[in-house]
Amino acid sequence: DWSSDVCSSDLGVIATVWVSAYYFRRSIQRSLTPYIQYASSPFKGIDEDVKKSLKITYRDIPIDDLFEIQFLIANTGDKAIRDLIEPLALTFPDDCDLLDASLLHTSPQELKVTLEVSEDRHSFKSNFPLLNSGDFFVVKVLLNGEADTKNLKFSVLVDELPRLIQPIFPNPGE
């Protein structure tokens, strides 16, 4: 009788350890978070006479509504993000032309990130071979046309991440 109690208590301990380990492994996950550091329309609110006096062109195309957005894209999970099947990409609405996408900063400094603007100038791709937990990079984009930041969604195809990721404004209190 005593040996059956020991055996069942051993099975209970083994089952508890196994279940705990299973849920612990599931809690360590990948997470990629694009933060919008700022979004600005530099000419919004400027006097119309001043706007008429300012002439901005890009490749001989007049810029009517300059808009800039800066993203901080961070691995906020516990696991490294690697082996992208499709790179991280962001597509803007048809009424926005992407003038430039620039990589401003990487952390760590040796982080390898490439940016590629599409030929139709409505999207860009960010590719990286490895983004460890806590690694991040900062991208600034210039647009001709104002993008509604609430409707932007990054796409990515990699294990353990959702295919679409909505950028968020960070909470100033955090």
Side-chain angles (χ1 to χ4, degrees), residues 15 73 96 99 105 120 125 144 149:
I73 300 164
C96 292
L99 304 173
H105 180 75
D120 70 0
K125 294 178 182 179
N144 185 17
T149 56

Side-chain angles (χ1 to χ4, degrees), residues 20-31 76-80 133 160:
S20 297
Y22 172 77
Y23 282 105
F24 176 74
R25 275 192 302 267
R26 286 195 59 193
S27 71
I28 299 175
Q29 57 187 319
R30 290 188 175 140
S31 180
T76 52
D78 298 314
K79 284 180 162 180
S133 179
E160 299 179 39

Side-chain angles (χ1 to χ4, degrees), residues 111-161:
L111 180 65
K112 294 186 187 315
V113 178
T114 59
L115 295 180
E116 178 185 336
V117 175
S118 66
E119 284 187 34
D120 70 0
R121 308 211 60 83
H122 288 288
S123 66
F124 74 93
K125 294 178 182 179
S126 313
N127 211 341
F128 46 86
L130 175 66
L131 199 64
N132 285 317
S133 179
D135 289 359
F136 67 90
F137 56 98
V138 177
V139 176
K140 181 179 184 175
V141 297
L142 287 176
L143 302 168
N144 185 17
E146 188 170 342
D148 183 359
T149 56
K150 292 179 189 113
N151 293 326
L152 296 177
K153 287 194 170 73
F154 282 86
S155 63
V156 67
L157 191 54
V158 66
D159 289 340
E160 299 179 39
L161 284 181

Side-chain angles (χ1 to χ4, degrees), residues 1-172:
D1 190 31
W2 178 79
S3 66
S4 67
D5 287 343
V6 170
C7 185
S8 66
S9 105
D10 287 345
L11 286 176
V13 168
I14 291 170
T16 301
V17 168
W18 183 82
V19 168
S20 297
Y22 172 77
Y23 282 105
F24 176 74
R25 275 192 302 267
R26 286 195 59 193
S27 71
I28 299 175
Q29 57 187 319
R30 290 188 175 140
S31 180
L32 184 65
T33 307
Y35 295 99
I36 298 175
Q37 289 186 306
Y38 69 85
S40 172
S41 182
F43 299 130
K44 191 176 237 171
I46 290 182
D47 185 80
E48 286 302 316
D49 291 334
V50 174
K51 276 187 189 180
K52 289 177 187 174
S53 300
L54 289 171
K55 301 282 186 217
I56 298 175
T57 60
Y58 178 73
R59 297 183 180 175
D60 296 327
I61 299 169
I63 305 303
D64 304 316
D65 189 12
L66 189 63
F67 191 72
E68 60 182 335
I69 308 173
Q70 187 165 305
F71 298 97
L72 183 144
I73 300 164
N75 180 345
T76 52
D78 298 314
K79 284 180 162 180
I81 299 169
R82 67 179 77 209
D83 303 325
L84 298 177
I85 299 165
E86 289 180 12
L88 183 68
L90 181 60
T91 301
F92 295 98
D94 289 339
D95 60 346
C96 292
D97 290 321
L98 179 58
L99 304 173
D100 185 48
S102 303
L103 185 64
L104 298 182
H105 180 75
T106 61
S107 179
Q109 190 173 10
E110 59 275 1
L111 180 65
K112 294 186 187 315
V113 178
T114 59
L115 295 180
E116 178 185 336
V117 175
S118 66
E119 284 187 34
D120 70 0
R121 308 211 60 83
H122 288 288
S123 66
F124 74 93
K125 294 178 182 179
S126 313
N127 211 341
F128 46 86
L130 175 66
L131 199 64
N132 285 317
S133 179
D135 289 359
F136 67 90
F137 56 98
V138 177
V139 176
K140 181 179 184 175
V141 297
L142 287 176
L143 302 168
N144 185 17
E146 188 170 342
D148 183 359
T149 56
K150 292 179 189 113
N151 293 326
L152 296 177
K153 287 194 170 73
F154 282 86
S155 63
V156 67
L157 191 54
V158 66
D159 289 340
E160 299 179 39
L161 284 181
R163 291 176 189 252
L164 294 175
I165 304 169
Q166 187 162 13
I168 59 172
F169 281 97
N171 210 347

